[in-house]
């Protein structure tokens, strides 16, 4: 017993100097010399707490109060260890025991309030997680970790929510810190895999999920994530293959099925929406393709491919202002010669769209032949010729005269190869002096009657 006291005093001296490893060694010698003395375990518990070895400190504190239930410091240290490790209910019981032994103990009163606060943060976090309010969970866990700095459970929950919020570097950092301390921690392995999965690194993600399941075969979240990752990869690859084989309906359906697997996988789903838009465009489902591109961009507003696909769909549906806007966004992000040319083409089409569309006036396509243009002119001119509407009201006669003149303007341009070429390339023919407005009304009537008699 005398040796034990000497070892304890030596331990106290090193503790006062903050040489905690040496203090730990001497307290251990004291325990070995007198294993039934509660205060020795209490002193070593205090040292272990300073070394942030709270689980070992908890064991020593519990042994101390088993040997002496009236050892107030033992109960206080046990409570602090429980609190630091995130077990707020056990901590509260310990602090209550201290207050029963010493009702005026201010430290126990404060720590009991901290335990109650920690329980409330846990409750709020659980409720928020169920509501998918992951930002609130991170907020709660930050405050919980301030009260329980060694609780890995809180850190893992925070990391998982950071991953679900798309804050992957932060989530990876938390998980990596835990794995440096414990390379077999299944929860941390799961979070690492989750970050990779949401960053569309599915093969690497599966490796982490499999490793987590080796460490904890009943880890349900890792099992579900692993299954989703494998299913998502398989369905996406199957869709890509049938698309390459020009089976666009089948590809569209497979991408739709893939999108239903995991709504939380933002990056992969953005790609799937864009892929489905590509299949939709091949099927001439331009409105749906535009909608899918918009969904992809909403998930990932840096996804250039989605902007390009949507812009092309806008071009295909003659929504040139929208196409210009998307191409401008792309060119601002990636100033390549290809993107510059796409923007220039869209701007030209927009300019052309604001002029009178002579092809529509004649009711022909932009690739119409010279003969098709002549036939269309005759048909439209006959339809709007003044002689056909001589008995109509003055208002109708005026409207038909206007349309008849437009038909003449259209034919004047589209029947002249040089004017047609300049018109097709977007030049303003009136500004260039190449267009005289189609001639006056009398001349146009004479021209039509002379060349296309009734």
């Amino acid at each position: 017993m005398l040796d034990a006291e000497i070892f304890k005093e030596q331990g106290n001296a090193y503790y006062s100097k903050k040489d905690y490893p040496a203090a730990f060694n001497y307290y251990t010698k004291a325990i070995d010399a007198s294993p039934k003395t509660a205060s020795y375990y209490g002193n070593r518990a205090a040292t272990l707490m300073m070394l942030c070895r709270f689980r070992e400190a908890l064991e020593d504190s519990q042994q101390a109060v088993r040997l002496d239930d009236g050892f107030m410091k033992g109960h206080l240290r046990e409570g602090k260890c429980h609190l630091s490790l995130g077990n707020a209910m056990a901590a509260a019981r310990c602090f209550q025991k201290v207050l029963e032994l010493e009702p005026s103990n201010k430290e126990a009163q404060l720590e009991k309030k901290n335990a109650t606060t920690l329980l409330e943060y846990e409750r709020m976090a659980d409720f928020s997680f169920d509501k998918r309010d992951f930002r609130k969970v991170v907020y709660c866990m930050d405050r919980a970790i301030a009260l329980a700095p060694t609780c890995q459970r809180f850190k893992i929950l925070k990391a998982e929510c950071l991953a679900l919020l798309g804050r992957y570097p932060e989530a990876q950092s938390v998980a990596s810190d835990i794995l440096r301390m414990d390379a077999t921690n299944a929860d941390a392995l799961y979070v690492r895999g989750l970050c990779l999965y949401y960053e569309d690194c599915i093969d690497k993600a599966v490796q982490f999920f499999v490793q987590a399941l080796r460490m904890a075969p009943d880890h349900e979240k890792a099992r579900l994530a692993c299954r989703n990752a494998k299913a998502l990869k398989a369905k996406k690859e199957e869709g890509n293959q049938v698309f390459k084989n020009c089976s666009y309906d089948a590809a569209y359906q497979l991408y739709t099925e893939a999108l239903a697997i995991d709504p939380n996988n933002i990056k992969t789903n953005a790609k799937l929406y864009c892929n489905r838009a590509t299949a939709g465009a091949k099927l001439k489902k331009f409105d749906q393709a535009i909608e899918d591109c918009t969904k992809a961009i909403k998930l990932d507003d840096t996804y250039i491919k989605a902007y390009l696909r949507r812009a092309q769909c806008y071009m295909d549906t003659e929504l040139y202002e929208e196409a210009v806007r998307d191409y401008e966004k792309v060119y601002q992000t990636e100033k390549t010669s290809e993107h510059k040319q796409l923007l220039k083409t869209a701007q030209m089409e927009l300019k052309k769209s604001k002029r009178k569309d002579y092809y529509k006036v004649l009711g022909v396509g932009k690739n119409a032949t010279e003969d098709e243009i002549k036939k269309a002119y005759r048909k439209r001119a006959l339809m709007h010729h003044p002689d056909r509407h001589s008995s109509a009201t003055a208002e109708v006669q005026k409207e038909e005269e206007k349309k008849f003149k437009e038909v003449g303007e259209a034919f004047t341009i589209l029947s002249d190869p040089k004017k047609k070429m300049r018109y097709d390339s977007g030049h303003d023919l009136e500004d260039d002096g190449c267009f005289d407005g189609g001639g006056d009304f009398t001349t146009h009537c004479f021209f039509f009657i002379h060349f296309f008699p009734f």
Side-chain angles (χ1 to χ4, degrees), residues 181-197:
M181 301 288 291
D182 178 10
T184 65
N185 188 294
D187 290 324
L189 289 167
Y190 159 71
V191 170
R192 284 289 304 275
L194 197 65
C195 291
L196 290 164
Y197 170 58

Side-chain angles (χ1 to χ4, degrees), residues 5 8 37-44 64 71 77:
E5 278 296 305
K8 185 197 80 169
T37 305
S39 63
Y40 298 166
Y41 289 98
N43 287 2
R44 190 169 73 173
F71 184 30
R77 286 168 186 153

Side-chain angles (χ1 to χ4, degrees), residues 198-212:
Y198 286 147
E199 290 182 292
D200 201 34
C201 301
I202 292 180
D203 288 333
K204 288 183 180 179
V206 168
Q207 292 175 9
F208 275 97
F209 294 144
V210 169
Q211 195 175 348

Side-chain angles (χ1 to χ4, degrees), residues 172-424:
Q172 288 270 31
S173 177
V174 174
S176 295
D177 286 345
I178 293 171
L179 288 170
R180 274 193 287 273
M181 301 288 291
D182 178 10
T184 65
N185 188 294
D187 290 324
L189 289 167
Y190 159 71
V191 170
R192 284 289 304 275
L194 197 65
C195 291
L196 290 164
Y197 170 58
Y198 286 147
E199 290 182 292
D200 201 34
C201 301
I202 292 180
D203 288 333
K204 288 183 180 179
V206 168
Q207 292 175 9
F208 275 97
F209 294 144
V210 169
Q211 195 175 348
L213 289 167
R214 283 201 199 101
M215 299 300 112
D218 295 330
H219 200 295
E220 193 54 39
K221 287 184 176 180
R223 186 179 304 282
L224 176 62
C226 191
R227 184 167 66 242
N228 282 347
K230 289 179 178 179
L232 199 55
K233 182 188 177 188
K235 194 69 71 175
K236 182 183 174 185
E237 289 179 351
E238 188 181 356
N240 292 347
Q241 187 57 51
V242 297
F243 182 89
K244 288 177 184 177
N245 295 335
C246 300
S247 299
Y248 303 125
D249 276 314
Y252 192 94
Q253 181 58 34
L254 286 164
Y255 292 139
T256 301
E257 291 171 11
L259 282 163
I261 291 172
D262 185 1
N264 292 321
N265 197 320
I266 292 171
K267 278 205 170 182
T268 302
N269 287 345
K271 292 179 180 180
L272 287 168
Y273 275 121
C274 192
N275 286 1
R276 191 170 73 172
T278 305
K282 290 288 186 181
L283 295 167
K284 307 299 181 186
K285 298 178 179 179
F286 294 115
D287 288 344
Q288 290 165 272
I290 289 169
E291 185 180 344
D292 276 347
C293 289
T294 301
K295 288 178 180 177
I297 291 165
K298 188 175 181 181
L299 292 176
D300 181 2
D301 63 2
T302 66
Y303 192 16
I304 294 298
K305 192 174 179 180
Y307 285 105
L308 288 170
R309 169 55 54 197
R310 187 171 69 175
Q312 184 56 56
C313 289
Y314 283 141
M315 293 290 285
D316 291 336
T317 51
E318 299 183 4
L319 296 170
Y320 299 120
E321 286 189 18
E322 290 84 347
V324 167
R325 186 173 62 243
D326 277 354
Y327 282 134
E328 284 176 340
K329 171 73 174 178
V330 170
Y331 186 62
Q332 287 168 6
T333 306
E334 294 182 0
K335 288 182 167 59
T336 67
S337 57
E338 180 186 359
H339 294 159
K340 184 177 182 180
Q341 185 57 46
L342 288 169
L343 174 58
K344 187 177 178 181
T345 300
Q347 289 171 333
M348 181 61 72
E349 290 299 325
L350 175 60
K351 180 182 176 183
K352 287 160 63 176
S353 72
K354 293 182 181 298
R355 307 170 308 168
K356 194 176 291 183
D357 188 339
Y358 290 129
Y359 290 101
K360 283 187 178 179
V361 170
L362 294 184
V364 296
K366 293 182 179 180
N367 297 318
T369 64
E370 185 179 345
D371 189 50
E372 288 171 337
I373 289 170
K374 284 182 179 179
K375 288 179 179 178
Y377 169 59
R378 177 177 172 77
K379 180 180 177 181
R380 291 297 173 103
L382 282 170
M383 186 186 303
H384 302 296
H385 196 282
D387 290 350
R388 290 211 164 191
H389 306 282
S390 57
S391 60
T393 63
E395 187 178 349
V396 171
Q397 286 184 20
K398 186 176 180 180
E399 182 62 27
E400 291 300 325
E401 181 180 320
K402 179 183 175 184
K403 290 179 180 178
F404 184 65
K405 186 176 181 181
E406 285 180 349
V407 169
E409 290 175 5
F411 185 69
T412 299
I413 298 301
L414 301 183
S415 63
D416 184 315
K418 289 184 179 179
K419 290 181 180 179
K420 181 176 183 297
M421 183 177 68
R422 293 184 67 77
Y423 174 78
D424 288 343

